[in-house]
Amino acid sequence: MDKSIDSATLKAVESAAACGVQTVWDRYEAQKPQCGFGETGLCCRHCLQGPCRISPFGDGARVGVCGANADVMVARGLSRAIAAGTASHGGHAKHLAHTLLRSSIGQAPDYPIKDVNKLKSVAARIGVDIDGMTANDIARVVALRALEDFSEKDEPSTWAATTVTKGRVETFLKYGVVPRGIDSAVSESMHRTTYGVDADAVNILLGAVKCALADYAACHMATDIADILFGTPSPVATMANLGVLRADAVNIALHGHNPLLSDMIAQVAGDPELNEKARAAGAAGGVNVVGVCCTGNEVMMRHKIPLATSSVSQETVILTGALDAMVVDYQCIMPALANVAECFHTRLITTMPIARITGATHIEFHEDGARDSARKIIETAIVAFTKRDPAKVNIPDILTTAFAGFSTEAIVGALSLLDAADPLKPLIDNIVAGNIYGVCLFAGCNTVKVTQDANYVAMIKELAAKNVLILATGCASGAFARHGFMTPEATGKYAGPGLKAVLTAVGQAAGLGGPLPLVLHMGSCVDNSRAADVAVAVANRLGVDLNMLPVVASAPEPVTEKAVAIGTWAVAAGLPTHLGVVPPVIGSSVVTGVLTSAVKDLFGGYFIVEPDPLAAAAKLLAAISERRTGLGLSA
């Protein structure tokens, strides 16, 4: 299997081999063969009597020491993965909520409110009476309401209940999966899957759905507050791939997920004094900031900062020999970065108290001194530049244009240029007419188990040719950016005639002189909630529930526990959801059957597990066709 279809990544990996540096692909090969029990979900180490394992072939143990069978073991493992993903997104959202609160009372002056309209919109949605209130007063109430959403309450989670259709709320209540607190849902999942508690696989899975819906609430909250603090994205043009690094500049890569750190560095990097320091150190090009992973998506859509690469290939930015500092916050950050950085002059800089890495430089980041921390980080990178070895610099000359920043508000705004009185009408009319056959949200990661980007590229060509509108977030959008799919030119090359006509009409109405890009970039992984908002708006406009819409989701290369949580809430929302990597559940026929079939009867959504990208595209098209038929539209 090839490592990647991205030539820039391959060049960087080749240079690593020449230098004797291990990459994620080398470490994956060293792990082979991976544990077959773990791959099927048939292992458990949740108590000190284990680890236990159950033979998938029926020729060994059939229960663990405590008596848990394969179904219970697999269900518990899946539930714990969802809890971990929810805890991660919850931590992200809580961090932002605390910052919004501190901003509102003057304790975080570096974070003023950037989008008052978004603040008022969120406040109205969650039932805050803002009459006569200042922006800071509104922000304080919204922040407190957000923080209340983490603990157990008598009523449903505000961010879960107020952002979906009425029909979804009724469905969630019917099956007892409404979360009443984000942290409390995580706590309940961990409790019920510990030794001696829940031993009914289906009941465990319903608890996992509840936790996943808490993840949805956290994602939506994080997106809302990020927009309030940093501005709601609108379309911008930038660049992608390793060619965004510059030999004549101090190169700083921002990697992780939370925009609190990255947005501040993006702002401070333009400081004339710091750029003069960089030039005095020999960097004629001054300071050059690039993005990696979801933080890269955050600063790409708000500051036009170019995106260097994605999660699985994060080491390649250092392997160019031109990176002076890799600045990280939390999530999806490989500890191996420290080992790779040791082979170069690069300073790996950790910033969060919960995410230190042995061998890295730690410059702790706090909201009350954010600008000073950002300056210190940039100055550290400037010093590192002076130690760069020009003989080791090998930047692949590979660049693509990428248009990013299609927030829900931006999409509705573009549609309003066609129909100001009813912005959703052009979208609905074109879905009815078949010009837009359906909508697919691509989300998720890159994984060493699949040739990097191959599934994304194969599937988008197939779906776009069949007039499916493509939305993307996270490292999925990174894949599309690197391969030129987030451009108007890609629309002309790959879109079917109906989709091309729609994207061209909207693009021309927006004054672009041509079509919108083939892929509409909606942000980072937490911003999957933006796609949900578009679907909810269309469903409400039509008077139907989400499970009736010709909307699907796909994670061709999922990796993290966060992706498991996201996929689960997408299914609960009613979406057929494709996974390109087989999850560790096939050791249980009950769990596999529930996730791929029985869950459809409960929520309307279900998982489609299909490693072959062309077969996956065909199955998603079939799901869209079924939804169109259900709405009385041409299949």
Side-chain angles (χ1 to χ4, degrees):
M1 182 184 75
D2 293 332
K3 295 178 175 68
S4 177
I5 62 170
D6 177 17
S7 54
T9 294
L10 291 175
K11 286 185 178 182
V13 172
E14 287 172 7
S15 69
C19 297
V21 178
Q22 276 195 339
T23 67
V24 64
W25 287 278
D26 300 316
R27 295 188 296 275
Y28 175 59
E29 287 298 321
Q31 289 290 326
K32 289 182 175 179
Q34 291 184 308
C35 174
F37 294 96
E39 286 191 323
T40 59
L42 291 176
C43 58
C44 174
R45 46 179 291 275
H46 300 161
C47 83
L48 301 184
Q49 298 172 118
C52 295
R53 61 188 191 182
I54 295 176
S55 171
F57 308 110
D59 56 354
R62 299 194 178 190
V63 295
V65 171
C66 72
N69 62 21
D71 300 325
V72 170
M73 195 174 284
V74 171
R76 284 176 174 173
L78 179 65
S79 181
R80 286 191 165 221
I82 291 170
T86 304
S88 299
H89 285 144
H92 179 164
K94 191 186 296 182
H95 194 169
L96 286 166
H98 278 296
T99 302
L100 180 62
L101 178 60
R102 298 185 71 185
S103 171
S104 72
I105 59 178
Q107 293 182 357
D110 291 335
Y111 293 101
I113 294 164
K114 293 281 183 65
D115 192 336
V116 175
N117 288 333
K118 182 65 177 265
L119 172 64
K120 290 180 178 179
S121 173
V122 171
R125 190 189 69 222
I126 65 174
V128 177
D129 183 0
I130 65 173
D131 188 40
M133 296 174 67
T134 67
N136 279 337
D137 289 340
I138 299 170
R140 179 176 176 275
V141 176
V142 169
L144 290 173
R145 290 285 297 275
L147 291 170
E148 288 172 0
D149 234 16
F150 287 90
S151 300
E152 186 80 21
K153 301 186 298 181
D154 291 333
E155 65 272 7
S157 160
T158 301
W159 260 261
T162 62
T163 57
V164 296
T165 60
K166 181 180 178 182
R168 281 296 91 183
V169 174
E170 291 173 351
T171 298
F172 298 156
L173 287 169
K174 177 180 178 181
Y175 295 112
V177 297
V178 175
R180 299 185 185 277
I182 296 168
D183 286 350
S184 62
V186 173
S187 178
E188 180 185 297
S189 285
M190 295 304 291
H191 179 199
R192 72 194 298 163
T193 58
T194 198
Y195 179 73
V197 189
D198 203 342
D200 181 282
V202 174
N203 198 49
I204 292 169
L205 292 176
L206 286 172
V209 170
K210 181 194 293 187
C211 192
L213 291 173
D215 182 82
Y216 165 74
C219 287
H220 207 299
M221 182 190 296
T223 295
D224 284 343
I225 298 178
D227 285 354
I228 291 166
L229 289 173
F230 308 118
T232 302
S234 57
V236 297
T238 184
M239 306 297 290
N241 222 319
L242 293 177
V244 301
L245 295 166
R246 294 165 49 191
D248 68 340
V250 174
N251 292 304
I252 301 172
L254 304 176
H255 176 23
H257 284 79
N258 194 324
L260 285 169
L261 168 70
S262 56
D263 199 274
M264 187 54 62
I265 292 178
Q267 294 178 44
V268 174
D271 187 320
E273 180 184 343
L274 287 173
N275 278 270
E276 185 54 40
K277 282 186 178 182
R279 285 187 283 270
V287 176
N288 179 46
V289 178
V290 302
V292 176
C293 202
C294 276
T295 275
N297 283 291
E298 295 280 2
V299 293
M300 177 169 66
M301 64 186 178
R302 291 193 176 95
H303 295 279
K304 300 184 182 180
I305 285 176
L307 183 71
T309 195
S310 298
S311 56
V312 79
S313 49
Q314 60 191 261
E315 296 160 302
T316 62
V317 192
I318 300 175
L319 292 169
T320 63
L323 187 68
D324 304 299
M326 172 75 90
V327 186
V328 302
D329 47 44
Y330 45 54
Q331 299 173 23
C332 299
I333 298 154
M334 295 182 187
L337 290 175
N339 305 109
V340 179
E342 284 180 354
C343 301
F344 298 88
H345 71 292
T346 309
R347 297 289 292 273
L348 174 63
I349 302 174
T350 56
T351 58
M352 298 294 165
I354 65 166
R356 288 179 179 249
I357 298 174
T358 302
T361 299
H362 190 72
I363 300 177
E364 195 140 316
F365 175 81
H366 298 284
E367 291 79 2
D368 56 359
R371 196 167 294 274
D372 291 339
S373 296
R375 288 185 64 87
K376 185 176 180 180
I377 287 169
I378 294 172
E379 287 169 349
T380 301
I382 293 171
V383 173
F385 170 85
T386 64
K387 301 176 182 179
R388 186 193 292 180
D389 182 354
K392 290 186 176 181
V393 174
N394 183 17
I395 303 172
D397 186 21
I398 299 172
L399 273 174
T400 55
T401 299
F403 287 82
F406 287 86
S407 61
T408 308
E409 291 83 353
I411 290 174
V412 173
L415 291 171
S416 70
L417 298 173
L418 299 179
D419 190 331
D422 189 358
L424 292 176
K425 188 175 186 297
L427 175 61
I428 293 169
D429 287 348
N430 279 288
I431 291 174
V432 170
N435 295 322
I436 296 177
Y437 189 65
V439 181
C440 181
L441 166 65
F442 278 94
C445 327
N446 285 135
T447 172
V448 292
K449 290 191 171 184
V450 174
T451 300
Q452 184 191 22
D453 299 342
N455 284 1
Y456 287 111
V457 170
M459 290 183 69
I460 190 177
K461 289 180 180 178
E462 195 73 12
L463 294 175
K466 300 295 194 297
N467 298 309
V468 175
L469 178 65
I470 307 297
L471 311 177
T473 60
C475 288
S477 55
F480 294 135
R482 289 194 302 279
H483 294 283
F485 289 99
M486 283 165 48
T487 63
E489 290 76 18
T491 300
K493 187 174 182 180
Y494 298 109
L499 178 62
K500 186 185 301 183
V502 175
L503 293 177
T504 299
V506 178
Q508 288 179 337
L512 300 180
L516 294 177
L518 183 67
V519 176
L520 301 185
H521 169 266
M522 301 199 82
S524 64
C525 282
V526 296
D527 294 330
N528 284 305
S529 57
R530 297 192 197 278
D533 283 347
V534 174
V536 168
V538 171
N540 285 335
R541 171 67 170 71
L542 291 174
V544 301
D545 202 357
L546 290 173
N547 64 321
M548 299 179 67
L549 296 180
V551 178
V552 296
S554 175
E557 303 181 27
V559 170
T560 71
E561 292 160 316
K562 295 180 297 177
V564 179
I566 291 169
T568 304
W569 64 249
V571 166
L575 305 185
T577 300
H578 163 246
L579 300 177
V581 176
V582 179
V585 300
I586 58 174
S588 166
S589 59
V590 169
V591 174
T592 302
V594 168
L595 296 178
T596 59
S597 179
V599 71
K600 182 178 181 181
D601 295 330
L602 302 180
F603 300 108
Y606 53 95
F607 282 106
I608 301 168
V609 180
E610 178 53 72
D612 181 88
L614 296 183
K619 290 177 179 179
L620 288 175
L621 287 167
I624 290 172
S625 176
E626 180 184 11
R627 298 294 180 91
R628 291 183 63 87
T629 300
L631 289 171
L633 306 178
S634 61

